[in-house]
Amino acid sequence: MQPSLIFATNNQHKAEEIQAFLNGKFEIISLRNAGIDVEIPEPYNTLEENADTKATTIFNLTQMDCFGEDTGLEVLSLNGEPGVKSARYAGESRNFKANIDKLLYKLKGKPEREARFRTVIALILGGKIYHFEGTCKGRILDAERGSGGFGYDPVFVPEGADLSFAEMTLEEKNKYSHRAKAVQKLIDFLLNK
Ligand code: ITT
């Protein structure tokens, strides 16, 4: 029998994406469904350390197998910004629209639009910690397109696609996405254990 895992996130969009990707084949329990209401800190300067903190916070509360993930958008011509600061790029209010406006302002007039999303998952299984990474290369648009998804999705077009992530269904986004790739590695690891 496969273990049930708690997903240490307060971001419902992430939980929905992963549920759509797993398509019922694997059980994960959201913090909401586990009845856990906790603010998870992410104070570090690397995705790895923040992912560890999310998983460890929930493990310490529940003693159950769990995973957390941290994701950043890394823009080449901005030296990897907003990166680990993606959620708070335009300030502590963590406002998606303000973050996009700041990004587009910084890229105004720049022809170089190359970027990638990077997700790091930290899994705690049997008290041990494991890491899985997924990346998705693409480019930043000049203006927002689409109303789906979350975060920077309206301004990101993945390599090999014409639509922005916000113009895609969850299933389409999962064909390209950093998060889906990291989750696939997590699943492969669990199935081969
Ligand atoms: P948890 O820590 O509770 O998981 P969070 O929203 O704080 O949720 P992150 O720190 O990993 O999660 O997110 C960083 C930000 O990066 C997030 O708020 C979005 O603005 C952006 N982001 C992450 N994944 C994204 C995706 O798939 N598409 C677009 N933007 C994304």
Side-chain angles (χ1 to χ4, degrees):
M1 199 185 93
Q2 298 304 325
S4 299
L5 295 174
I6 299 184
F7 182 17
T9 184
N10 285 314
N11 182 324
Q12 276 309 114
H13 300 281
K14 287 183 181 179
E16 279 168 25
E17 274 186 26
I18 292 184
Q19 294 287 11
F21 185 69
L22 295 175
N23 198 14
K25 290 184 208 111
F26 216 92
E27 193 191 358
I28 62 164
I29 305 163
S30 67
L31 287 185
R32 190 191 278 176
N33 287 346
I36 299 169
D37 181 11
V38 62
E39 186 66 29
I40 305 177
E42 38 189 308
Y44 295 107
N45 285 324
T46 65
L47 298 177
E48 287 77 4
E49 286 171 296
N50 285 330
D52 283 0
T53 306
K54 294 177 198 187
T56 306
T57 301
I58 297 309
F59 180 72
N60 288 341
L61 276 174
T62 63
Q63 301 298 309
M64 284 177 65
D65 293 334
C66 61
F67 70 100
E69 65 103 294
D70 204 41
T71 296
L73 174 66
E74 302 171 341
V75 180
L76 204 66
S77 65
L78 299 178
N79 298 317
E81 261 185 45
V84 73
K85 301 288 176 218
S86 292
R88 297 178 171 79
Y89 195 37
E92 282 304 312
S93 64
R94 306 168 57 97
N95 182 286
F96 292 155
K97 175 86 179 103
N99 287 339
I100 287 178
D101 287 347
K102 179 171 177 182
L103 180 67
L104 293 183
Y105 178 77
K106 286 211 156 193
L107 287 175
K108 210 171 174 145
K110 289 196 180 179
E112 174 53 72
R113 318 290 292 191
E114 200 180 314
R116 68 171 188 174
F117 277 109
R118 190 160 74 89
T119 291
V120 175
I121 289 178
L123 165 72
I124 299 184
L125 192 71
K128 279 172 78 175
I129 198 151
Y130 304 89
H131 294 105
F132 308 94
E133 182 178 300
T135 58
C136 175
K137 278 195 196 170
R139 64 191 165 87
I140 305 296
L141 293 167
D142 291 329
E144 293 180 48
R145 268 180 20 202
S147 55
F150 71 104
Y152 299 90
D153 279 349
V155 291
F156 185 86
V157 174
E159 228 170 59
D162 295 319
L163 300 179
S164 78
F165 269 162
E167 293 174 307
M168 295 183 183
T169 61
L170 277 187
E171 288 73 19
E172 284 169 329
K173 181 178 173 184
N174 277 337
K175 286 183 199 151
Y176 299 93
S177 106
H178 42 294
R179 180 165 300 104
K181 287 177 190 157
V183 171
Q184 185 60 56
K185 289 182 188 169
L186 165 70
I187 295 170
D188 292 344
F189 171 80
L190 291 171
L191 293 178
N192 288 312
K193 261 198 87 62

